[in-house]
Amino acid sequence: VSGGNASSAESYTGTERILAFSDGVFAIAITLLVLDLVPPRVEHGVVDKLLEAWPNYLSYALSFFIIGILWASHHQMFTQIKRSNHVFLLINIVFLMWVAALPFPTALLAEGLSHYDAVGRQAVVAIYTGMFLVGALLFNLEWWYAIYRGRLLGEGADPEAVKRTTRSYYIGPVAYLADLALSFVSIEASLVLFFLLALFYAVVPIPVVYRTIAGRTGIRKNRIIKD
Amino acid sequence: VSGGNASSAESYTGTERILAFSDGVFAIAITLLVLDLVPPRVEHGVVDKLLEAWPNYLSYALSFFIIGILWASHHQMFTQIKRSNHVFLLINIVFLMWVAALPFPTALLAEGLSHYDAVGRQAVVAIYTGMFLVGALLFNLEWWYAIYRGRLLGEGADPEAVKRTTRSYYIGPVAYLADLALSFVSIEASLVLFFLLALFYAVVPIPVVYRTIAGRTGIRKNRIIKD
Amino acid sequence: VSGGNASSAESYTGTERILAFSDGVFAIAITLLVLDLVPPRVEHGVVDKLLEAWPNYLSYALSFFIIGILWASHHQMFTQIKRSNHVFLLINIVFLMWVAALPFPTALLAEGLSHYDAVGRQAVVAIYTGMFLVGALLFNLEWWYAIYRGRLLGEGADPEAVKRTTRSYYIGPVAYLADLALSFVSIEASLVLFFLLALFYAVVPIPVVYRTIAGRTGIRKNRIIKD
Amino acid sequence: VSGGNASSAESYTGTERILAFSDGVFAIAITLLVLDLVPPRVEHGVVDKLLEAWPNYLSYALSFFIIGILWASHHQMFTQIKRSNHVFLLINIVFLMWVAALPFPTALLAEGLSHYDAVGRQAVVAIYTGMFLVGALLFNLEWWYAIYRGRLLGEGADPEAVKRTTRSYYIGPVAYLADLALSFVSIEASLVLFFLLALFYAVVPIPVVYRTIAGRTGIRKNRIIKD
C-alpha cells in the first residue's frame, strides 16, 4: 500500500534486455581479438615468420575460449535468475566492464612474455591472474545479490540447486587467489595452473563438478533431498 | 475511415527492433573503449609505465560506466514506451548518433588534459560537458515526443508515474547546463561535478530520486494519489 | 505430396534471425564511424584545429543518419515481409554487404574533397552517388523478390498497400541515377541533391510520400479502394 | 528419480541465446572486413589507384559473401536443432572461434598473393584452403553431436531429413580436402576450385543439392519414403 511497493513493482523487470546487451558485449569483445593477428610484412621466409608467431595463435585461441566459457557461465547463471532491478543492472554493467577489458591484460601478457624484463614479466602474470580473481569475485557478487532472499530468482527455483550453485561458484575466487599467489613464486607454474583452470571450466559445467566432489566427500544430503 | 487512419495503423509498430538496434549500438560503443588501452612498448620499468597510465584506466572505467548507465536509463524509458512511429525512430537514431560519438569527446578530454595548453584544456572540458547537455536534451526530447497525448505509451500507463518520470528527467539538462557554465570558471570544479553526476545517476534510479526530493519538499500529492 | 513440397515447407522460415543479423550489421557499421574522429595531436591552437575539422563532424553525422534511415527503411520493409527462403537470404546478404561497405565510399569522399585533384574529386562523387544507386537497386530487388506472387508476404497482406510501397520504392533508383548523371556536370549540384534526398528520406516515410504525390496528381484509386 | 535426471533437465536448454550470440559474432566478423578498405593517400592519379586496388574489393566481396553463406548454413542447421547442452555450447564456441578468425587467413591470402615469394604464396593458399577444411569438419562435428541418438533435435524431427542433411554435409570436408591437396600442385587451380565451391554453396541450399545428386544417381529411396 506504500509508494515503496509501487516502486518495487516498477523497478523489477525481466532479464531479456540484460541478456541481449550482455550477449552483444561478449560477442564484440570476443570478435575484436582477431585484430591482433596480422600477416607478416615480409617477402621471403614467410613460413618461418608464421611459425614463430605461434604464441599469438595460442593467445587468440585461449582468450577466445575463455571469453566463450565466461559467456556460457553467464548464460547458465541466467537459467535461474529471472528478474532484474537497478542494482543488479549496475553489478552486471561492472561485470561486463571487466569482460570488455579482457583484451588489455591479454595483450599485456603477450607483450610482456615476449619483451619485458623479469620484473615486468612477473608483473604482467600477476596482473593477468589478479584480473581473473576480480572477475571471479564480480561473478560471485552478481550471483549473491540475485539469490539473497530469492530476490531475483524465478518462481519455481529449487533452493537446493541454488545452494549447490552458490557453493560451486566458490571455486573460482579461491583458485584464482591461489594462482595469483603462485605468480609471485613462479610465473611458469602460475600460467600452467591458469591453463588447467580454463580447461577445467571448459570441460566440466560447474554444478556437475560440485556434485561429483560432494559425492566423493560424502556430502550427498542435497542430492538425496532433491531426489 | 480515412487514408490517414490506415496510415497510422501501418506506421505504429512495436519497439522490439528499436531496442535490438539500440542495444547493439550501446554494446558496440561500450566495447570499443578497450581499443584505447595498449600495453607499454618498453623493456624495463614496465611497472612504472603501467602505474603512470592510471588516468587511462580511470577514463576507461568512467566511460564504460557512463555508457552503461545511459543504456540502463534507455532501458527504463522503454518500460513505459510500448509503440513506435517514424518520427520516434528518427529521434532515437539521433540519440544513438550521440551515444556512438561519445568515444570522441572522451578521447579528446584524455588527450587535452595531458597535452593541451590552458585554452585547449578549458575547451575540451566545455566540449565534454556540453556534449552531455546535448545528450540530456535529446533524452528528454525522445521522452517528450513519446508521452505527448500518450502517443507511444502502453495501454495501462499510469499518468502520475509518467508525470513523475518527466519531472525527474528535468534534472539532467539543468545539471549539465550548470556544469558547462562551471567549466568556464574552473575546469577542476566542473570535472568534480561531472563525476558526482555520474555517481548520482549510477546509485539512484531517477524516479526514486524525484520521489525522495518531492517527499522532502512536501510535494507528495502524486504518491498519495498513486497509493 | 511431392518432394518439392516437402522442400518448400522446409526452406520457408521466419524472419527473426535475418532481422537479428541485419540489425547487428547495421549497428556495427554505424558505430564504427566514430573511429574516424580523432583528437588533434597538438599542444597549442587546439580550438582552431577542432573548428577546421568541421567536415569530419558533418561527415560523421550525415553517414550515421543515412545508415540509420536505411535501417529504418529495412525495418519498414519487414513489417510486410514475414517469411524467408534461401534466395531471399542471399539477396539480403548482398544488401548487407553494401551497407557494411558504406564507410569506404564515405571515407573516400571525405579524403577526395579535401586532397584529390579535379579528376579525383569528380570520381569520388560519382562513386559515392553510384554506390547509392546500387543500394537503391538492391533494396528494390529484395522487395521485388519478396512480393513476387506474394511469395514472402504475411497472410493478411493488403495487395494495394504492397503495390503502393512498390511504386514508392521506384523513387530511389530514379533519383540516384539522376544524381549520378548530375555528378558529371557539377559535383556541387550533385552533393546538394544528395543531401536533399537524405533529408527527404528522413523527414517523410516513403508510403506517405507516394500517397501525397498520388493525391495531387489525381491517382487516388488505391486510397479509395483501401478506404 | 535420480540426481542425474534432475541434472539433465537443468542442462538441456533452448537455443535462443546460442543463436543471439552466434548472430552477434557473425555480424561483427563480417562488418570488420570493411576496415581493410582505405582511400588512397595521393593527390593525383586517384582513379588509377582505385582501379589497381580491384583485388581488395574482390576480397571484401568474397569474404563477406562466404561469412554470409556460413551464417545462412548455421541458420539452416538450427531449423532442426532445438535444444542445447554444455558440450554443444563448447563445440559452437570453437566453431565461432573459427568464424571470427577468418579475417586473418583472408588478409594473409591478400598480402601473400601481392607480396610473398613462391614458397610464401603456396603456403598462404594452403593455409586458406586448410582453414576451410577445418571449418567444414567443425561444422560437421557440431551437427553430428546434435543428431547423435536425436540428442538435440526438435520433437517432430524427420529422421530421413536428418540423414539427408548429414550426407549433404559430407561434401564440405571432402571438397576442401581436395582443394588443399590441389594447392600443392597449382595455387591457381586451387583458388579457382575455392571460388567454385563458394558459388556452389551460395546458389544451392545443401539439402536440394543432395536430393538432386541422389535423384540422378538413382538413390531416390529417401524422397519416396518421405512422399
PDB file of all heavy atoms in Angstrom, chain C residues 2-4, chain D residues 160 164 211-212 215 219-227:
ATOM      1  N   SER C   2       4.557 -34.005 -53.174  1.00  0.00           N
ATOM      2  CA  SER C   2       5.831 -34.227 -53.862  1.00  0.00           C
ATOM      3  C   SER C   2       7.013 -33.843 -52.981  1.00  0.00           C
ATOM      4  O   SER C   2       6.850 -33.109 -52.000  1.00  0.00           O
ATOM      5  CB  SER C   2       5.888 -33.391 -55.142  1.00  0.00           C
ATOM      6  OG  SER C   2       6.120 -32.043 -54.803  1.00  0.00           O
ATOM      7  N   GLY C   3       8.215 -34.319 -53.348  1.00  0.00           N
ATOM      8  CA  GLY C   3       9.436 -33.921 -52.646  1.00  0.00           C
ATOM      9  C   GLY C   3       9.601 -32.413 -52.684  1.00  0.00           C
ATOM     10  O   GLY C   3      10.070 -31.803 -51.735  1.00  0.00           O
ATOM     11  N   GLY C   4       9.191 -31.824 -53.777  1.00  0.00           N
ATOM     12  CA  GLY C   4       9.258 -30.361 -53.918  1.00  0.00           C
ATOM     13  C   GLY C   4       8.493 -29.646 -52.822  1.00  0.00           C
ATOM     14  O   GLY C   4       8.984 -28.706 -52.215  1.00  0.00           O
TER      15      GLY C   4
ATOM     16  N   GLU D 160      14.501 -39.067 -41.838  1.00  0.00           N
ATOM     17  CA  GLU D 160      15.031 -39.097 -43.207  1.00  0.00           C
ATOM     18  C   GLU D 160      15.639 -37.756 -43.583  1.00  0.00           C
ATOM     19  O   GLU D 160      16.694 -37.696 -44.210  1.00  0.00           O
ATOM     20  CB  GLU D 160      13.920 -39.469 -44.207  1.00  0.00           C
ATOM     21  CG  GLU D 160      13.479 -40.920 -44.106  1.00  0.00           C
ATOM     22  CD  GLU D 160      14.647 -41.896 -44.280  1.00  0.00           C
ATOM     23  OE1 GLU D 160      15.544 -41.614 -45.100  1.00  0.00           O
ATOM     24  OE2 GLU D 160      14.675 -42.922 -43.563  1.00  0.00           O
ATOM     25  N   ARG D 164      19.488 -37.084 -44.648  1.00  0.00           N
ATOM     26  CA  ARG D 164      19.784 -36.394 -45.902  1.00  0.00           C
ATOM     27  C   ARG D 164      20.734 -35.234 -45.644  1.00  0.00           C
ATOM     28  O   ARG D 164      21.721 -35.049 -46.352  1.00  0.00           O
ATOM     29  CB  ARG D 164      18.485 -35.866 -46.494  1.00  0.00           C
ATOM     30  CG  ARG D 164      18.390 -36.044 -47.984  1.00  0.00           C
ATOM     31  CD  ARG D 164      16.929 -36.097 -48.415  1.00  0.00           C
ATOM     32  NE  ARG D 164      16.155 -35.021 -47.821  1.00  0.00           N
ATOM     33  CZ  ARG D 164      14.868 -35.144 -47.456  1.00  0.00           C
ATOM     34  NH1 ARG D 164      14.229 -36.273 -47.603  1.00  0.00           N
ATOM     35  NH2 ARG D 164      14.249 -34.129 -46.933  1.00  0.00           N
ATOM     36  N   ARG D 211      19.570 -33.862 -52.816  1.00  0.00           N
ATOM     37  CA  ARG D 211      18.433 -34.533 -53.423  1.00  0.00           C
ATOM     38  C   ARG D 211      18.610 -34.643 -54.930  1.00  0.00           C
ATOM     39  O   ARG D 211      18.298 -35.663 -55.517  1.00  0.00           O
ATOM     40  CB  ARG D 211      17.146 -33.771 -53.073  1.00  0.00           C
ATOM     41  CG  ARG D 211      16.019 -34.736 -52.757  1.00  0.00           C
ATOM     42  CD  ARG D 211      14.862 -34.008 -52.161  1.00  0.00           C
ATOM     43  NE  ARG D 211      15.235 -33.400 -50.898  1.00  0.00           N
ATOM     44  CZ  ARG D 211      14.845 -32.181 -50.515  1.00  0.00           C
ATOM     45  NH1 ARG D 211      14.094 -31.449 -51.293  1.00  0.00           N
ATOM     46  NH2 ARG D 211      15.223 -31.703 -49.356  1.00  0.00           N
ATOM     47  N   THR D 212      19.120 -33.583 -55.539  1.00  0.00           N
ATOM     48  CA  THR D 212      19.314 -33.610 -56.986  1.00  0.00           C
ATOM     49  C   THR D 212      20.345 -34.666 -57.356  1.00  0.00           C
ATOM     50  O   THR D 212      20.121 -35.499 -58.238  1.00  0.00           O
ATOM     51  CB  THR D 212      19.790 -32.233 -57.478  1.00  0.00           C
ATOM     52  OG1 THR D 212      18.929 -31.256 -56.930  1.00  0.00           O
ATOM     53  CG2 THR D 212      19.782 -32.160 -58.985  1.00  0.00           C
ATOM     54  N   GLY D 215      18.908 -37.994 -56.813  1.00  0.00           N
ATOM     55  CA  GLY D 215      17.931 -38.285 -57.859  1.00  0.00           C
ATOM     56  C   GLY D 215      18.614 -38.797 -59.120  1.00  0.00           C
ATOM     57  O   GLY D 215      18.178 -39.789 -59.726  1.00  0.00           O
ATOM     58  N   ILE D 219      19.507 -42.934 -56.145  1.00  0.00           N
ATOM     59  CA  ILE D 219      19.242 -43.161 -54.718  1.00  0.00           C
ATOM     60  C   ILE D 219      18.044 -42.322 -54.306  1.00  0.00           C
ATOM     61  O   ILE D 219      18.161 -41.301 -53.668  1.00  0.00           O
ATOM     62  CB  ILE D 219      20.452 -42.760 -53.859  1.00  0.00           C
ATOM     63  CG1 ILE D 219      21.741 -43.292 -54.458  1.00  0.00           C
ATOM     64  CG2 ILE D 219      20.279 -43.242 -52.411  1.00  0.00           C
ATOM     65  CD1 ILE D 219      22.986 -42.704 -53.850  1.00  0.00           C
ATOM     66  N   ARG D 220      16.859 -42.735 -54.720  1.00  0.00           N
ATOM     67  CA  ARG D 220      15.660 -41.924 -54.501  1.00  0.00           C
ATOM     68  C   ARG D 220      14.863 -42.420 -53.306  1.00  0.00           C
ATOM     69  O   ARG D 220      13.789 -41.900 -53.022  1.00  0.00           O
ATOM     70  CB  ARG D 220      14.784 -41.938 -55.747  1.00  0.00           C
ATOM     71  CG  ARG D 220      15.480 -41.351 -56.962  1.00  0.00           C
ATOM     72  CD  ARG D 220      14.503 -41.402 -58.133  1.00  0.00           C
ATOM     73  NE  ARG D 220      13.288 -40.697 -57.775  1.00  0.00           N
ATOM     74  CZ  ARG D 220      12.991 -39.468 -58.181  1.00  0.00           C
ATOM     75  NH1 ARG D 220      13.820 -38.809 -58.957  1.00  0.00           N
ATOM     76  NH2 ARG D 220      11.873 -38.903 -57.821  1.00  0.00           N
ATOM     77  N   LYS D 221      15.351 -43.426 -52.624  1.00  0.00           N
ATOM     78  CA  LYS D 221      14.578 -44.067 -51.568  1.00  0.00           C
ATOM     79  C   LYS D 221      14.032 -43.054 -50.556  1.00  0.00           C
ATOM     80  O   LYS D 221      12.844 -43.042 -50.263  1.00  0.00           O
ATOM     81  CB  LYS D 221      15.473 -45.077 -50.847  1.00  0.00           C
ATOM     82  CG  LYS D 221      14.720 -46.051 -49.956  1.00  0.00           C
ATOM     83  CD  LYS D 221      15.722 -46.981 -49.306  1.00  0.00           C
ATOM     84  CE  LYS D 221      16.717 -46.190 -48.490  1.00  0.00           C
ATOM     85  NZ  LYS D 221      17.702 -46.975 -47.789  1.00  0.00           N
ATOM     86  N   ASN D 222      14.926 -42.176 -50.069  1.00  0.00           N
ATOM     87  CA  ASN D 222      14.514 -41.240 -49.026  1.00  0.00           C
ATOM     88  C   ASN D 222      13.350 -40.373 -49.478  1.00  0.00           C
ATOM     89  O   ASN D 222      12.398 -40.184 -48.747  1.00  0.00           O
ATOM     90  CB  ASN D 222      15.678 -40.332 -48.632  1.00  0.00           C
ATOM     91  CG  ASN D 222      16.802 -41.150 -48.039  1.00  0.00           C
ATOM     92  OD1 ASN D 222      16.542 -42.143 -47.381  1.00  0.00           O
ATOM     93  ND2 ASN D 222      18.031 -40.742 -48.309  1.00  0.00           N
ATOM     94  N   ARG D 223      13.475 -39.854 -50.677  1.00  0.00           N
ATOM     95  CA  ARG D 223      12.396 -38.979 -51.157  1.00  0.00           C
ATOM     96  C   ARG D 223      11.108 -39.754 -51.254  1.00  0.00           C
ATOM     97  O   ARG D 223      10.038 -39.273 -50.902  1.00  0.00           O
ATOM     98  CB  ARG D 223      12.734 -38.391 -52.532  1.00  0.00           C
ATOM     99  CG  ARG D 223      13.484 -37.097 -52.433  1.00  0.00           C
ATOM    100  CD  ARG D 223      13.739 -36.551 -53.802  1.00  0.00           C
ATOM    101  NE  ARG D 223      12.499 -36.110 -54.415  1.00  0.00           N
ATOM    102  CZ  ARG D 223      12.353 -35.951 -55.732  1.00  0.00           C
ATOM    103  NH1 ARG D 223      13.345 -36.204 -56.541  1.00  0.00           N
ATOM    104  NH2 ARG D 223      11.211 -35.535 -56.225  1.00  0.00           N
ATOM    105  N   ILE D 224      11.198 -40.983 -51.750  1.00  0.00           N
ATOM    106  CA  ILE D 224       9.986 -41.775 -51.933  1.00  0.00           C
ATOM    107  C   ILE D 224       9.349 -42.056 -50.575  1.00  0.00           C
ATOM    108  O   ILE D 224       8.166 -41.832 -50.369  1.00  0.00           O
ATOM    109  CB  ILE D 224      10.317 -43.090 -52.665  1.00  0.00           C
ATOM    110  CG1 ILE D 224      10.754 -42.750 -54.098  1.00  0.00           C
ATOM    111  CG2 ILE D 224       9.118 -44.006 -52.680  1.00  0.00           C
ATOM    112  CD1 ILE D 224      11.520 -43.854 -54.783  1.00  0.00           C
ATOM    113  N   ILE D 225      10.183 -42.478 -49.631  1.00  0.00           N
ATOM    114  CA  ILE D 225       9.651 -42.737 -48.290  1.00  0.00           C
ATOM    115  C   ILE D 225       9.016 -41.474 -47.728  1.00  0.00           C
ATOM    116  O   ILE D 225       7.896 -41.505 -47.236  1.00  0.00           O
ATOM    117  CB  ILE D 225      10.791 -43.204 -47.355  1.00  0.00           C
ATOM    118  CG1 ILE D 225      11.181 -44.628 -47.730  1.00  0.00           C
ATOM    119  CG2 ILE D 225      10.357 -43.142 -45.900  1.00  0.00           C
ATOM    120  CD1 ILE D 225      12.404 -45.131 -46.996  1.00  0.00           C
ATOM    121  N   LYS D 226       9.724 -40.373 -47.917  1.00  0.00           N
ATOM    122  CA  LYS D 226       9.222 -39.075 -47.439  1.00  0.00           C
ATOM    123  C   LYS D 226       7.870 -38.758 -48.047  1.00  0.00           C
ATOM    124  O   LYS D 226       6.941 -38.329 -47.359  1.00  0.00           O
ATOM    125  CB  LYS D 226      10.244 -37.997 -47.817  1.00  0.00           C
ATOM    126  CG  LYS D 226       9.787 -36.590 -47.608  1.00  0.00           C
ATOM    127  CD  LYS D 226      10.237 -36.094 -46.262  1.00  0.00           C
ATOM    128  CE  LYS D 226       9.614 -34.735 -46.002  1.00  0.00           C
ATOM    129  NZ  LYS D 226      10.046 -34.168 -44.758  1.00  0.00           N
ATOM    130  N   ASP D 227       7.739 -38.949 -49.388  1.00  0.00           N
ATOM    131  CA  ASP D 227       6.480 -38.616 -50.056  1.00  0.00           C
ATOM    132  C   ASP D 227       5.376 -39.565 -49.593  1.00  0.00           C
ATOM    133  O   ASP D 227       4.208 -39.225 -49.582  1.00  0.00           O
ATOM    134  CB  ASP D 227       6.630 -38.720 -51.576  1.00  0.00           C
ATOM    135  CG  ASP D 227       7.694 -37.745 -52.070  1.00  0.00           C
ATOM    136  OD1 ASP D 227       8.084 -36.891 -51.276  1.00  0.00           O
ATOM    137  OD2 ASP D 227       8.135 -37.852 -53.213  1.00  0.00           O
TER     138      ASP D 227
END
